Amino acid sequence: MRFHVLTLFPEMLEQGLHQSILGRAAQRGQLSFHMVNIRDYTEDKHGKVDDYPYGGGAGMLMQAQPVYDAYRSVASEYESRHEGKIRTVYVTPQGKTFTQRLARELAGEEELVFLCGHYEGVDERVLEEIVTDYVSLGDYVLTGGELPAMVMIDAIARLVPGVLHNGESAENESFHNNLLEYPQYSRPEIWHGKPVPEVLLSGNHRNIQAWRLEQSLQRTRERRPDLYEGYRARQDIIREMSVRKRKNIHLMELLSRDLAQEVCRRERSFLLHVDNTRTYALYAESERDARGLFEQCGDALQEKIRILVYLESVRDFLKERYDLTVGGVCYQACFTRRESLGVRHRDIRPLNIEELDRAAGWYPVCGRDYLRRRILAGAVFGVYINDCGTRPAGIIGLHEDGSMGMLYVDEPYRRQGLASSLESWLINRHLRRYEVPYCRVGEGNAAAIRLQEKLNLCLCEEPMWWLEK
Ligand code: ADE
């Protein structure tokens, strides 16, 4: 991922960003930092970049011209390679508050611009032309935008696949699932008379997991009652839906993994929007409920939507109302056990973007662009066996809504259990994160259905449909 920073103090960021984890990721080529000194772009012969505000008032303002030209130096290069405008964050106490959710969203971009303000601010006219996101660190005022930009860059960059060495560590921590992280201990076993909690020395991983979850809950309740309330409210809905788990698993997992936000709710029905996608998921037990809900939604939906429904009458109503196309029938399958599965072929790892063409040939369903984004998000995995040299023999991936999919094994390597290894490996990865693994299989895909049965996934008998525009 590439970060461009428009600043009057490039040395400050050079120093700060080229250290430690981010510095090493930059050396490996996973991140790159490009500081643009706004002063280099001024047309003023004395190098001035600020002036008095019209109408009077304290302090000076950054002028539009140097900021705009500094921005154009980055934007024109970007526009020669991409369609649309480069995402540009202006760090300002007047923006929306920076959160882990926004960090996740911004980590999905390939390039980002940060504009660091100074003095009393920046001429409004240039902000109107270049800024896509106004973002604040919190309700306090700092002397300039460099420190907040560095904080945001750090939080975003560490989510880029490969930046943190242990792929798990970005996910088992504070704010994952909106709970605070459990307490951690290292050697010695007793320090200042305080022993390490016994369960952590037991070697019983199931008990350790249960203890950690309990600690997370307790800590969140005590320290962040606001987060805890949100968690409790989500758990109540999930519990209600769990009566029909096979049918509702996608909604339950979207909520418990915190991958979606509620767009609208009416009585017991609600509509979720999956973060950073055009995908929606609907909970409505009847056509009447769905009609009422969408009446209330008004035009809160995006122009191009993709939505998963499981009632024929609701399907027909939505098709009509939003002029959608109905995709094929599919069935959900979920893994409800806690024991992990044996994996025969163990060399499974995130797919390199160099394999995009190959993978797109294997899995053309969602389009090359979608696959590219999923690979860049570290959500597609290849299995490597000796016969294939350095290339993968098959793939599996996680869709944007968290479901497993994209499973494919190359023709010459079939009937060796590779598909089974891939899916078992991915199931185990979910279990380590307290997630319920699930997938959808297309009607008539006998091989996929056989695999789900072999791995003990529970298949839902009710069909589902994707509707999209
Ligand atoms: N610039 C000055 N104060 C700031 C804040 N709180 N957040 C982001 N940018 C700022």
Side-chain angles (χ1 to χ4, degrees):
M1 181 169 183
R2 186 156 169 77
F3 294 90
H4 308 269
V5 189
L6 314 181
T7 167
L8 290 171
F9 299 95
E11 308 80 21
M12 203 167 156
L13 290 117
E14 290 282 0
Q15 282 279 331
L17 297 174
H18 284 109
Q19 310 287 329
S20 181
I21 294 178
L22 302 196
R24 288 196 293 276
Q27 272 172 5
R28 292 196 297 270
Q30 286 152 339
L31 301 174
S32 73
F33 303 113
H34 171 215
M35 308 328 157
V36 182
N37 191 342
I38 296 171
R39 205 175 293 281
D40 291 345
Y41 289 85
T42 179
E43 287 170 356
D44 181 274
K45 56 179 184 293
H46 305 295
K48 213 163 71 77
V49 290
D50 60 332
D51 210 331
Y52 295 99
Y54 281 115
M60 306 286 269
L61 278 189
M62 279 167 73
Q63 290 171 283
Q65 176 274 316
V67 172
Y68 187 69
D69 288 355
Y71 165 80
R72 285 305 317 160
S73 73
V74 172
S76 38
E77 214 220 302
Y78 178 88
E79 285 158 17
S80 68
R81 285 177 285 114
H82 301 83
E83 270 179 27
K85 201 168 160 180
I86 189 165
R87 192 123 181 220
T88 301
V89 176
Y90 176 43
V91 287
T92 165
Q94 298 185 13
K96 64 181 166 197
T97 309
F98 189 64
T99 57
Q100 190 67 17
R101 177 171 241 117
L102 184 56
R104 254 188 274 148
E105 180 186 330
L106 294 173
E109 301 287 334
E110 279 170 56
E111 295 189 46
L112 271 182
V113 178
F114 279 84
L115 168 62
C116 306
H118 254 275
Y119 313 120
E120 287 306 307
V122 181
D123 189 309
E124 192 66 20
R125 292 165 298 183
V126 66
L127 298 178
E128 283 167 11
E129 290 206 11
I130 72 174
V131 175
T132 56
D133 300 76
Y134 293 81
V135 188
S136 168
L137 264 199
D139 290 338
Y140 44 84
V141 181
L142 302 165
T143 54
E146 282 72 16
L147 284 173
M150 281 205 281
V151 170
M152 292 177 203
I153 291 172
D154 188 282
I156 296 163
R158 63 191 289 289
L159 300 177
V160 172
V163 168
L164 295 182
H165 259 318
N166 174 359
E168 310 283 288
S169 55
E171 273 143 29
N172 253 340
E173 61 188 11
S174 295
F175 299 117
H176 182 56
N177 288 348
N178 264 332
L179 288 176
L180 301 186
E181 198 186 25
Y182 44 80
Q184 303 254 44
Y185 304 85
S186 180
R187 279 197 285 196
E189 245 177 76
I190 300 177
W191 183 82
H192 279 200
K194 296 176 177 178
V196 168
E198 221 175 293
V199 62
L200 298 179
L201 311 173
S202 68
N204 182 329
H205 289 285
R206 199 189 257 236
N207 289 352
I208 294 175
Q209 274 197 358
W211 180 86
R212 286 181 165 165
L213 179 60
E214 184 50 41
Q215 292 289 316
S216 278
L217 289 169
Q218 190 180 326
R219 185 161 272 201
T220 311
R221 193 168 53 228
E222 285 166 12
R223 298 186 185 178
R224 290 293 306 273
D226 54 327
L227 286 185
Y228 186 72
E229 271 320 301
Y231 173 82
R232 278 277 306 276
R234 277 201 310 277
Q235 290 308 109
D236 287 347
I237 303 172
I238 292 171
R239 202 165 308 116
E240 191 180 315
M241 288 193 296
S242 68
V243 180
R244 311 195 64 186
K245 192 169 188 172
R246 296 179 191 192
K247 187 168 135 186
N248 291 327
I249 191 66
H250 66 303
L251 294 155
M252 293 165 65
E253 286 303 295
L254 281 173
L255 289 170
S256 75
R257 300 185 205 174
D258 197 24
L259 291 173
Q261 305 237 49
E262 198 177 290
V263 189
C264 153
R265 162 183 290 273
R266 185 174 173 273
E267 292 162 11
R268 290 181 64 248
S269 315
F270 57 86
L271 181 69
L272 297 178
H273 175 225
V274 181
D275 291 345
N276 317 320
T277 69
R278 59 189 182 97
T279 302
Y280 294 81
L282 172 67
Y283 183 63
E285 290 294 346
S286 70
E287 183 195 339
R288 199 181 135 268
D289 287 354
R291 279 184 185 274
L293 182 72
F294 281 93
E295 198 96 334
Q296 188 168 313
C297 285
D299 49 12
L301 268 66
Q302 289 178 21
E303 172 64 12
K304 286 191 167 174
I305 65 171
R306 190 166 179 267
I307 182 166
L308 189 62
V309 295
Y310 53 61
L311 270 182
E312 230 166 322
S313 54
V314 173
R315 178 196 71 187
D316 297 339
F317 151 66
L318 283 175
K319 175 177 182 297
E320 191 81 354
R321 161 145 193 181
Y322 290 99
D323 190 21
L324 304 172
T325 314
V326 181
V329 179
C330 56
Y331 295 86
Q332 262 177 177
C334 61
F335 186 83
T336 53
R337 307 180 173 204
R338 287 302 313 162
E339 294 79 27
S340 51
L341 299 172
V343 179
R344 182 135 66 92
H345 306 89
R346 289 163 166 273
D347 191 359
I348 298 175
R349 43 195 148 94
L351 200 71
N352 202 297
I353 192 67
E354 269 89 70
E355 301 293 349
L356 172 62
D357 285 336
R358 198 158 207 238
W362 289 349
Y363 184 74
V365 187
C366 296
R368 187 186 155 86
D369 213 42
Y370 175 80
L371 194 61
R372 182 163 182 278
R373 276 188 279 121
R374 297 314 290 153
I375 295 175
L376 289 173
V380 185
F381 309 92
V383 60
Y384 297 81
I385 54 173
N386 283 341
D387 305 5
C388 284
T390 57
R391 318 223 47 190
I395 54 167
I396 194 164
L398 290 168
H399 286 294
E400 284 170 333
D401 66 353
S403 60
M404 304 185 291
M406 311 177 210
L407 182 59
Y408 188 91
V409 173
D410 202 9
E411 190 77 46
Y413 310 110
R414 297 203 180 148
R415 281 165 290 280
Q416 300 179 32
L418 286 172
S420 180
S421 289
L422 278 163
E423 189 167 329
S424 302
W425 179 88
L426 196 51
I427 286 173
N428 294 346
R429 187 176 183 270
H430 282 92
L431 298 182
R432 288 198 296 278
R433 300 161 192 223
Y434 315 104
E435 294 167 353
V436 179
Y438 75 101
C439 63
R440 282 177 215 104
V441 287
E443 187 175 42
N445 187 345
I449 293 175
R450 265 200 311 278
L451 179 63
Q452 307 320 313
E453 283 168 353
K454 179 179 154 197
L455 299 180
N456 281 313
L457 279 87
C458 306
L459 203 66
C460 180
E461 281 165 10
E462 291 172 69
M464 301 187 90
W465 297 268
W466 277 111
L467 299 175
E468 66 182 306
K469 174 133 82 182

